[in-house]
Amino acid sequence: MATPQAAPAHPKYVWWNGELVEWDHATVHVTAMEWVGVSAVFEGIKAYANPEEEKAYVFRLSEHMQRFDESMRLMRMEPEWNAEQLSESVLALLRANGVREDTYIRPFAYRGRGGRSFRSASENAPSILINTHPFTTTLKTGKTITTGVSSWTRISDNVMPPRVKAVANYQNSQLAWQEVMRNGYDDAIILNERHKVAEAPGACVMLVKRGRVITPPVTAGVLESITRSTLLQMFEEQLGTRTEEREVDRTELYLADEVFLCGTGAEVTPVVSVDRYPVGNGQIGPITSRMIDLYHDVVRGLDAPYDPWRTAI
Ligand code: PMP
């Protein structure tokens, strides 16, 4: 009898500065880690399997690569590859790794070519790494979370712009997570400098009140989330739900009918309490539930609209 093959611990290749490099050969000297995180920027993208077609689709690849390009430009990096070329590189990597399952994709740009200082602003051509790993979706699993409002304030545009995906921004996220998790919550909500709701440490926040979906604007101290704009469009076009982008008070979360987080990682995650105020009846709400079903079908391409959002591997 054949012995079942264990799944490999990692994919065969990473994409690194223009080449497909075997996993074990993609190494740097440990001292190169020094200040890499200070100006590094990154992306988080997902590819979802379509079991009927036995293939996988990358969700909103070009939008993610556009944002990656914007993150680099904001940090005054001058990448050797444009967004389109990097999208092609993602697809080449996924093909080389034979990806057919749900897969997370992590592009990462860093100033890593020498320099012994965090003042490496003159070093403008970033090194770029793209690596992938399988993930397990929480869509349609019934997963819910509790949240607490953090005492930390969200970073702001004139401090460390949350609009782009800079690694250093996640210090603020870490502080909030560490605090609320020690206080017994699953995740945090962070208020901005005006004491309005900004976002969660790694996801955007939406609430439902009297049938409307409400979310803070992109000027509230949030990442310009691709899932956020995806869901706003789908609520209006597919579910006939009115949406509002406007400032949100903390107490609106306490009195909301439904609350959920959204993001590439978070997907659509129902929130059942905020600061121990139960949201609605403490169960997944009907509008959240319909969006979870729809989002699930759209990302996998299961007889779903928005073809241009999916790139077949
Ligand atoms: N806000 C933060 C701070 C995040 O890290 C993420 C995850 N990328 C999001 C929002 C959601 O963004 P997106 O939908 O583009 O993944």
Side-chain angles (χ1 to χ4, degrees):
M1 201 171 72
T3 23
Q5 298 251 304
H10 55 72
K12 190 153 191 241
Y13 297 105
V14 303
W15 185 96
W16 196 18
N17 290 329
E19 322 237 354
L20 290 172
V21 182
E22 282 199 36
W23 184 277
D24 290 333
H25 296 159
T27 56
V28 293
H29 193 266
V30 66
T31 57
M33 286 166 62
E34 275 184 345
W35 293 109
V36 152
V38 172
S39 54
V41 299
F42 70 109
E43 263 308 315
I45 311 171
K46 278 181 173 174
Y48 284 89
N50 178 316
E52 287 163 15
E53 298 173 12
E54 293 184 8
K55 64 181 180 195
Y57 290 99
V58 188
F59 193 59
R60 307 215 72 172
L61 176 59
S62 66
E63 289 83 356
H64 279 283
M65 284 319 202
Q66 205 57 50
R67 186 173 67 189
F68 189 46
D69 189 64
E70 290 180 4
S71 295
M72 289 191 278
R73 283 196 286 127
L74 192 81
M75 297 314 294
R76 305 210 189 257
M77 292 177 174
E78 291 163 15
E80 275 170 64
W81 303 273
N82 63 26
E84 212 174 303
Q85 290 166 323
L86 290 171
S87 296
E88 282 306 317
S89 305
V90 166
L91 294 172
L93 175 62
L94 293 168
R95 284 174 194 140
N97 283 335
V99 163
R100 284 199 181 72
E101 70 278 26
D102 289 355
T103 296
Y104 189 81
I105 304 149
R106 156 81 74 239
F108 182 83
Y110 60 102
R111 289 191 161 108
R113 300 181 209 241
R116 283 271 172 270
S117 160
F118 52 83
R119 277 185 57 173
S120 46
S122 58
E123 193 199 322
N124 285 333
S127 289
I128 298 182
L129 167 71
I130 308 170
N131 63 282
T132 65
H133 62 79
F135 75 91
T136 306
T137 186
T138 62
L139 290 169
K140 296 176 88 163
T141 60
K143 183 191 171 186
T144 60
I145 57 166
T146 63
T147 60
V149 174
S150 170
S151 68
W152 295 95
T153 298
R154 186 71 181 135
I155 46 174
S156 59
D157 198 55
N158 211 32
V159 177
M160 291 174 76
R163 177 179 317 286
V164 298
K165 232 168 142 56
V167 170
N169 291 355
Y170 289 81
Q171 284 285 16
N172 179 247
S173 301
Q174 274 292 327
L175 290 165
W177 263 319
Q178 295 292 344
E179 176 190 26
V180 302
M181 286 166 71
R182 275 170 176 71
N183 290 338
Y185 303 105
D186 298 321
D187 213 325
I189 308 279
I190 318 179
L191 307 182
N192 64 26
E193 59 194 349
R194 299 187 296 279
H195 306 272
K196 303 294 181 184
V197 173
E199 60 182 342
C204 282
V205 183
M206 295 195 178
L207 69 94
V208 180
K209 187 75 181 180
R210 295 188 194 95
R212 285 193 183 206
V213 169
I214 302 164
T215 196
V218 291
T219 48
V222 305
L223 178 72
E224 277 203 41
S225 154
I226 290 155
T227 318
R228 176 186 175 284
S229 65
T230 298
L231 297 194
L232 288 174
Q233 190 175 338
M234 291 204 296
F235 272 122
E236 294 272 348
E237 293 179 357
Q238 302 300 319
L239 302 184
T241 309
R242 299 278 296 278
T243 62
E244 282 177 28
E245 294 174 67
R246 61 153 175 85
E247 291 206 325
V248 172
D249 282 331
R250 167 187 198 154
T251 51
E252 288 186 274
L253 295 178
Y254 296 161
L255 301 175
D257 299 327
E258 302 178 34
V259 177
F260 57 91
L261 304 188
C262 69
T264 302
E267 302 173 316
V268 182
T269 304
V271 172
V272 291
S273 67
V274 182
D275 287 342
R276 308 205 198 285
Y277 286 92
V279 174
N281 62 6
Q283 312 276 320
I284 304 177
I287 291 180
T288 311
S289 180
R290 285 175 72 200
M291 182 47 80
I292 289 172
D293 291 350
L294 176 61
Y295 188 73
H296 172 273
D297 290 356
V298 167
V299 291
R300 293 197 189 286
L302 296 173
D303 197 16
Y306 304 112
D307 236 9
W309 288 354
R310 295 178 293 268
T311 308
I313 295 173

